[in-house]
Amino acid sequence: MKLLVPVKRVVDYNVKVRVRADGSGVETAGVKMSMNPFDEIAVEEAVRLKEKGIATEVVAVSLGVAACGETIRTALAMGADRGILVETDAELQPLAVAKLLRAIAEREQPGLIILGKQAIDDDMNATGQMLAALLGWPQGTFASKVEIAGETVAVTREIDGGLETVSLSLPAIVTTDLRLNEPRYASLPNIMKARKKPIETLTPAALGVDPSPRLALVKVVEPAKRQAGKKVGSVAELVAKLKTEAKVI
Ligand code: AMP
């Protein structure tokens, strides 16, 4: 069974993001970029399924500017077999990403597509669900355990109040949650080997998809600065302040 793993290039999770002075978005120039952490978990899960002999091939896909090729190389160094880069300078929103991934799924015919539950840059948490709807495939979102048996996959999902297990018939969509696994670091020999693995480059036009944004970004602003706390001298003073000064925000 072939596995497809979409990997997004995002601002590294260690970077403190800064809003552009004109409020048009987040500053990305000169900022360290990395693979979306939930997508690292997706790649790890796919590679483990291959190591167990359940999957035969892992294909990493990234959509965006040419530098997304680096994100694909990271997936290849972790153990993916080949990559597909859909290169575009257009701003890609989840519906456009889902349409492009649908076109790739139709070409590649994977048994399972494993995405991150959300990209940490825009926190949309929408692409996997939209892709499932477009393909008409079942979906298991927020997965903390994935078990494939024959033509079905059992997905344990992290939901409010506990865990829920759903059984899906393949082909299916899974989105990863934090506790699914701990992604490996790529070893130096595997980074070298990844350089020789193939990456196919496509365009949205070649896939017959118009990626134009459907949503207009109105404004991006920094969160309000937190005010400094005050020290109180006694419990009585604290209670008095809670009664007279504390506000529900
Ligand atoms: P989102 O719906 O934007 O929060 O993203 C959810 C997941 O969709 C990500 O974790 C990726 O697996 C996938 N995804 C979103 N955008 C892209 C992209 N430009 N390239 C590859 N995968 C993407």
Side-chain angles (χ1 to χ4, degrees):
M1 178 173 57
K2 192 192 285 184
L3 305 181
L4 202 65
V5 187
V7 291
K8 186 172 186 188
R9 179 176 183 265
V10 296
V11 173
D12 187 89
Y13 72 97
N14 283 309
V15 171
K16 190 175 179 317
V17 292
R18 277 176 300 117
V19 172
R20 279 193 216 118
D22 63 2
S24 64
V26 162
E27 192 56 76
T28 51
V31 168
K32 183 176 179 216
M33 307 292 283
S34 301
M35 186 190 297
N36 181 40
F38 291 105
D39 303 351
E40 289 181 351
I41 296 173
V43 175
E44 176 66 35
E45 196 63 19
V47 172
R48 287 188 193 185
L49 286 168
K50 192 178 168 200
E51 287 167 347
K52 283 188 203 151
I54 296 171
T56 49
E57 191 184 27
V58 177
V59 184
V61 190
S62 196
L63 290 64
V65 293
C68 295
E70 291 161 21
T71 315
I72 296 178
R73 285 279 167 224
T74 306
L76 298 177
M78 288 173 72
D81 298 290
R82 63 183 168 93
I84 300 175
L85 168 66
V86 180
E87 197 179 327
T88 173
D89 290 333
E91 178 210 330
L92 292 177
Q93 294 178 348
L95 185 58
V97 174
K99 285 181 179 170
L100 290 163
L101 292 175
R102 170 178 60 178
I104 292 173
E106 281 164 356
R107 282 168 47 125
E108 295 285 339
Q109 303 283 316
L112 191 67
I113 306 179
I114 312 179
L115 304 93
K117 74 167 179 183
Q118 72 198 66
I120 61 163
D121 50 2
D122 52 21
D123 275 341
M124 289 285 190
N125 181 2
T127 308
Q129 295 88 330
M130 286 180 172
L131 179 59
L134 291 175
L135 287 167
W137 292 5
Q139 57 183 300
T141 50
F142 315 131
S144 62
K145 197 169 170 195
V146 173
E147 284 175 306
I148 297 179
E151 288 306 301
T152 58
V153 53
V155 180
T156 303
R157 311 183 53 233
E158 305 222 348
I159 57 168
D160 286 351
L163 296 174
E164 175 189 69
T165 303
V166 291
S167 177
L168 318 173
S169 52
L170 297 172
I173 306 286
V174 166
T175 73
T176 61
D177 214 324
L178 263 189
R179 275 163 287 271
L180 181 59
N181 62 46
E182 207 170 300
R184 70 194 67 190
Y185 287 103
S187 65
L188 194 57
N190 285 344
I191 293 172
M192 302 305 282
K193 269 194 229 157
R195 292 199 188 158
K196 297 209 177 77
K197 294 184 182 175
I199 300 181
E200 183 186 4
T201 302
L202 299 168
T203 59
L207 292 167
V209 175
D210 170 12
S212 315
R214 297 293 190 89
L215 307 171
L217 181 71
V218 179
K219 188 165 68 164
V220 177
V221 291
E222 298 265 0
K225 294 257 178 306
R226 285 185 67 176
Q227 290 182 352
K230 284 182 202 156
K231 275 194 179 167
V232 290
S234 66
V235 173
E237 192 186 341
L238 172 65
V239 172
K241 281 195 186 297
L242 284 174
K243 279 189 185 156
T244 55
E245 291 180 24
K247 290 187 215 100
V248 179
I249 41 173

